[in-house]
Amino acid sequence: MPFGVKDIFDTADMPTGYGSPIYNRLPPSFGASAVSLPRAAGGILLGKTVTTEFANAIPARPPTTQPGPHPGGSSSGSAAAVADGMVPLAIGTQTGGSVIRPAAYCGVVGFKASYGLFPPAGMHANTESLDTVGNHGPLGRGYRAVRRRADGHPLRSAGMPERPPRLALCRTPHWDRRCPTARRCWKTLRRA
């Protein structure tokens, strides 16, 4: 299956610029696991997709302009490439909403994997504790394409925690401005 990859993944045979003009766009010495694993399964990397500089939210408007005036976040190039039919599958990343927003804006399937499901080796990190490797597939047959991508990687079981999680709450200066739904949820949580 042909695929594209967000320009924050190292590729030993293609330049990687991380969406930034400061890199000289020489190929890195090795390829990211998000590129090597699909290739090992017979995938054909057709090229890199546009991203905001270092996959940051700033600028909020990514350089991708198609298929609409604002195609979403830093994985917008991956979603737009799929929407335009350039590739049937494209790999992106998500820290906040960079896979799911572009998928929604471009009318394609977006899969934001659980943290740690796909190995991030060779990916330029934005926020290591939140970054996840995800992908886009076309609407219609997209779920099969996305599933094939997920099935091509060893899945790691998250397992059950040994004890219930502990939650911390930070009451900001705007705590009194919570919407009624948030107030009800907090009351229910405190009773539990």
Side-chain angles (χ1 to χ4, degrees):
M1 174 182 290
F3 69 100
V5 67
K6 184 174 179 177
D7 190 30
I8 63 163
F9 290 99
D10 291 335
T11 47
D13 56 348
M14 293 179 184
T16 300
Y18 313 111
S20 175
I22 67 171
Y23 280 87
N24 58 9
R25 301 211 173 254
L26 292 175
S29 56
F30 68 95
S33 57
V35 174
S36 302
L37 290 170
R39 280 181 160 173
I44 301 166
L45 178 60
L46 294 184
K48 296 299 205 55
T49 60
V50 170
T51 183
T52 55
E53 190 170 25
F54 305 117
N56 282 320
I58 307 297
R61 187 176 182 87
T64 308
T65 57
Q66 296 299 323
H70 192 300
S74 66
S75 292
S76 61
S78 294
V82 170
D84 193 48
M86 295 176 185
V87 290
L89 182 76
I91 300 168
T93 61
Q94 178 161 310
T95 303
S98 296
V99 167
I100 58 175
R101 262 191 9 253
Y105 292 3
C106 295
V108 299
V109 174
F111 175 70
K112 185 270 180 202
S114 296
Y115 179 77
L117 181 65
F118 298 123
M123 175 183 87
H124 185 279
N126 182 330
T127 307
E128 288 182 8
S129 61
L130 299 174
D131 291 346
T132 55
V133 178
N135 54 52
H136 297 94
L139 198 57
R141 66 174 214 243
Y143 294 104
R144 271 189 296 249
V146 168
R147 182 173 176 192
R148 224 178 292 155
R149 162 90 174 124
D151 289 347
H153 285 77
L155 301 181
R156 189 183 75 181
S157 173
M160 293 298 293
E162 293 179 20
R163 60 183 183 270
R166 294 178 62 198
L167 303 175
L169 177 68
C170 177
R171 290 188 173 131
T172 68
H174 306 289
W175 179 252
D176 59 327
R177 295 184 192 171
R178 292 171 294 154
C179 71
T181 303
R183 290 174 195 264
R184 281 191 305 274
C185 287
W186 177 243
K187 279 184 182 179
T188 303
L189 181 64
R190 285 183 53 194
R191 282 187 227 133

